[in-house]
Amino acid sequence: MAYEELPGESEPEDELPHGDVTEGVVRVGATVRRPVRAQSGAVADYLQHLEAVGFRGAPRFLGRDRAGRDVLDFVPGAVAGDPPPAWAADDELLRSVGRLLRDLHDASEGYAADRGFAAPTGTQWFRWPSPSEAGPAAVPVGPPPELVGHNDVTPQNVVVREGRAVALIDFDLAGPTTRLEDLVNTATHWVPLRAPADVWPGWSRTRQPERLRVLADAYGLGAAERASLVDVAVARADRMWWAMRGAAEHLGGGWARMWDHGVGDLIRRRQRWLLDHRDDLRAALA
């Protein structure tokens, strides 16, 4: 991809809050500059598809700057910090997250119709590495994908204006998935589906079964998917434990820091909590 002279090249760079993994993200005028990753080409192609089909809930990909960084639209609005503040626990905001995710999935359905779910030639999606000591049978396999999704709809990756979710950002983990898997991942962070000891300050009064229903209703989730959602969440927690362990070992950096800070234990506590509260969660969804 050729480097281009893009709007704002001469403007100062302002560092933006970074997540657990990606650093070096800056704002330059009305654009955001992000370091290129192995998956950047696939993500750019996906964002261009979303723009072409009229989805307005994602930044536009504008090209590469002279420093070789990806250049995206800056989407104005509020983004929750880490840990997310109490305002992010609002039920109306949760409803808008569900609607935005549904719009993304509907816009994504035709993305890879002509080539399955492979990334464009010469690019790749983000790949979760397996721990070295794990045999092939030890790591659970996810369901066959049905579309390309975001796969990381955390409060830190949603832009909010006037109390409503208006856009998703940070598509680094985008890739083949299912509607329900992406929704479960979203619920993990927004309901949140986690043990009480791990719920953030200011979120302690959230009613998790009821909020799970709010999210499912806003998304328009069907009866069959509601019946299987909790089991999908339990199975996904198991896969994510292995995925995070492998990422910590092979990718290092922020992945290793998260593992050292106990993310593996948090995932196992979430899994036990889901099993212990499976009946309550299923009843709320029904």
Side-chain angles (χ1 to χ4, degrees):
M1 182 179 297
Y3 300 160
E4 301 177 20
E5 183 77 23
L6 293 164
E9 290 288 355
S10 61
E11 297 186 49
E13 297 187 359
D14 296 318
E15 185 175 2
L16 293 173
H18 59 78
D20 294 307
V21 176
T22 303
E23 300 181 1
V25 180
V26 299
R27 178 179 178 181
V28 181
T31 68
V32 172
R33 314 296 169 103
R34 297 177 58 89
V36 170
R37 298 284 189 257
Q39 63 270 31
S40 292
V43 170
D45 190 74
Y46 180 44
L47 291 176
Q48 288 171 327
H49 163 80
L50 294 176
E51 180 186 4
V53 299
F55 180 72
R56 297 293 176 256
R60 292 182 303 155
F61 175 76
L62 302 177
R64 295 262 174 91
D65 67 8
R66 288 174 295 178
R69 299 172 297 188
D70 286 336
V71 183
L72 310 169
D73 276 333
F74 174 78
V75 182
V79 177
D82 188 13
W87 62 257
D90 178 72
D91 281 358
E92 286 303 316
L93 175 55
L94 180 65
R95 287 188 178 90
S96 67
V97 170
R99 291 191 292 267
L100 181 60
L101 185 66
R102 178 59 185 261
D103 290 345
L104 173 74
H105 289 169
D106 289 349
S108 301
E109 278 197 322
Y111 169 65
D114 60 341
R115 57 175 179 268
F117 294 98
T121 302
T123 68
Q124 65 184 52
W125 300 114
F126 174 81
R127 297 171 181 170
W128 290 103
S130 297
S132 298
E133 69 274 21
V139 182
V141 178
E146 59 190 23
L147 47 69
V148 170
H150 186 281
N151 296 328
D152 197 25
V153 184
T154 67
Q156 294 77 30
N157 289 337
V158 174
V159 179
V160 178
R161 290 200 293 266
E162 298 182 352
R164 301 294 183 271
V166 297
L168 303 172
I169 57 176
D170 192 351
F171 279 73
D172 276 357
L173 301 189
T177 186
T178 70
R179 286 176 176 266
L180 191 54
E181 286 274 329
D182 210 9
L183 181 64
V184 163
N185 183 61
T186 302
T188 296
H189 301 285
W190 280 94
V191 169
L193 298 179
R194 52 173 54 199
D198 297 319
V199 173
W200 307 291
W203 289 58
S204 58
R205 295 187 178 182
T206 55
R207 308 162 315 283
Q208 288 153 303
E210 289 82 357
R211 280 178 61 83
L212 183 59
R213 184 182 67 242
V214 166
L215 181 62
D217 288 351
Y219 183 87
L221 196 65
E225 290 78 13
R226 288 171 186 261
S228 62
L229 187 150
V230 180
D231 290 336
V232 169
V234 171
R236 192 175 189 283
D238 198 30
R239 293 201 313 277
M240 289 307 300
W241 187 90
W242 286 102
M244 293 297 291
R245 183 175 173 182
E249 178 186 349
H250 294 289
L251 303 180
W255 300 107
R257 287 193 296 272
M258 284 189 284
W259 189 262
D260 291 343
H261 291 164
V263 70
D265 295 333
L266 184 150
I267 292 170
R268 288 303 189 205
R269 288 193 297 272
R270 172 190 304 144
Q271 191 174 29
R272 289 193 295 271
W273 181 86
L274 287 165
L275 290 168
D276 290 344
H277 294 82
R278 178 160 41 191
D279 291 345
D280 291 340
L281 294 167
R282 284 175 170 170
L285 286 166

